[in-house]
Amino acid sequence: MIIEKSEIAEKLKQLKAIGSPKMADKPSGVLLKDNSLKANNLRIALTVPLSVHTDEAFVIPINAIALIESLPNGEIEIKGNDKTVTVSCGKIKSKFPTFPVADFTEPKELTEKPTLAFQLSWGDIADGIEKIMYVCPADPAKPVLSGIYFDGNGKHLNLVACDGVRIAISVVSTTQKVNVVVPRDAIKTLLAVGDTSKDIKFYTEDKRIIAEVGEYTIYALLNSDSFP
């Protein structure tokens, strides 16, 4: 695959933060398959398509991503198989160990487009979410608290975070009717990849919430407990 460094480096930057499940005998990495980049750590998954067409499939390890990010702007070539990934740019050529695609747990794709749960302007809610994230714990006593509660009654939307001691609320003007807890990992990813000029489309399916923002699709597990 030959691709512009500016495109692949930016997309890999977002996906490497998620990576793949930590396994003692395998490096963390990002999967290139089906003309898309995919990351999945079993709590949250992120996918994004590439502008160039490729039928190749291999796992790009984190140390290869570090090299790609350090390369000068221009075209780079990335080739791989189940054992190694080679990155080439001008006179630079480096080979990295990787692991088989079959060992990478891919995010479960949507079989059919589910019914849209709700759609919001990222520009309208991004500031409100950032203001209450300090009360959204990464490892709370109750897992349901590790998320932002979207509570829309058709007149306005409450964005609610709670760490078991404190509650923080932002109110957004929207007529959307919403009642869902979006996991913290998904919120953090939205803050990283979100474009305030874009709308976010949220879908729910099989105890998952799926958020589409720009080119990126985020998959996260929904907690079965009720927000207090």
Side-chain angles (χ1 to χ4, degrees), residues 162-183:
C162 176
D163 62 6
V165 178
R166 302 166 296 176
I167 294 176
I169 303 173
S170 289
V171 181
V172 179
S173 297
T174 177
T175 57
Q176 295 275 348
K177 290 188 177 181
V178 186
N179 187 359
V180 65
V181 178
V182 181

Side-chain angles (χ1 to χ4, degrees), residues 62-78:
I62 293 297
N63 51 359
I65 295 173
L67 173 64
I68 291 168
E69 291 176 332
S70 69
L71 292 173
N73 288 330
E75 288 186 339
I76 61 175
E77 183 178 19
I78 308 172

